[in-house]
Amino acid sequence: MPDRRQPDSPTDDNPFAAPPEGRPDQPWQPRNGGGGGNGDGPKDSDGQRGPARWDPTDPIQRRARYALLAGMWGFFFGIFGIPSVGLLLGALALYWGISALRGKPAPATAEGAPAAPSGLDALGPAARPQRTAAVSGLVTASLAILLAFSSYAVQLAYKDFYVCRDDALTKSAELQCNTLLPDNLLGDVLKVRQ
């Protein structure tokens, strides 16, 4: 089979290729994202810097991500019947989501100087994914707390049934506890099966 190599072109941008002859080795440097600059993000046609990357050292961005994760896991724990963990994670997600959206005001450097934007507004165009994460965390946290409270409300409303079921020593005694449930959809869900 013939060799089908293409001749080397001067625009070849292979980062793993050896340097051209007569040129010394250079230390590795990260590429600039599309438009040059210091690598903070690509520039658009107007020369404006695009959204910055996620910065894990920024507490506002961290709290937005924590809110999303805690709210999501709190919702899952609420669905799978562990309301205490769901309530805890939902409360944490609410705290983190609200603190990410509000942010902490930056201290003024001089008297009468305009205050710098704070919270997610200080991120500029990079605030959109963080705001989405914080709002999603608030929504899932609200659902997790709602599931936990509804689970506790059902246990409180039908306490006699739960006490009877837990104290029953035989299966027939446990089945007798079904008489303490209402004759509706919730009663059918909670009913002891044969």
Side-chain angles (χ1 to χ4, degrees):
M1 187 180 254
D3 187 15
R4 295 184 181 237
R5 280 193 209 170
Q6 299 294 326
D8 290 334
S9 64
T11 60
D12 190 19
D13 195 20
N14 183 358
F16 303 107
E21 292 209 21
R23 192 166 163 199
D25 287 339
Q26 294 178 343
W28 180 85
Q29 295 177 352
R31 289 187 185 184
N32 295 334
N38 58 3
D40 288 339
K43 290 185 178 179
D44 59 12
S45 60
D46 299 335
Q48 297 292 326
R49 184 127 337 258
R53 293 179 180 221
W54 181 60
D55 182 14
T57 61
D58 183 11
I60 295 171
Q61 294 183 37
R62 239 186 2 248
R63 286 178 185 156
R65 298 291 173 106
Y66 288 166
L68 177 63
L69 289 172
M72 184 175 56
W73 279 105
F75 178 71
F76 288 144
F77 277 112
I79 283 186
F80 292 126
I82 308 173
S84 56
V85 177
L87 183 63
L88 172 69
L89 289 173
L92 282 171
L94 272 180
Y95 169 73
W96 283 325
I98 291 171
S99 65
L101 289 174
R102 290 182 62 196
K104 204 168 187 183
T109 54
E111 289 293 323
S118 64
L120 290 175
D121 294 332
L123 295 175
R128 184 174 179 199
Q130 307 310 325
R131 187 173 287 118
T132 303
V135 170
S136 300
L138 287 175
V139 170
T140 54
S142 302
L143 290 173
I145 290 173
L146 182 68
L147 282 172
F149 281 147
S150 63
S151 174
Y152 288 136
V154 166
Q155 289 178 15
L156 196 63
Y158 301 113
K159 183 178 180 184
D160 294 338
F161 166 75
Y162 285 106
V163 169
C164 175
R165 189 189 68 183
D166 292 340
D167 290 345
L169 297 177
T170 63
K171 187 67 174 177
S172 60
E174 194 175 0
L175 287 171
Q176 289 295 320
C177 297
N178 288 341
T179 59
L180 299 172
L181 290 172
D183 192 21
N184 59 17
L185 178 66
L186 184 60
D188 291 338
V189 170
L190 297 176
K191 192 178 291 185
V192 177
R193 306 286 178 224
Q194 291 185 2

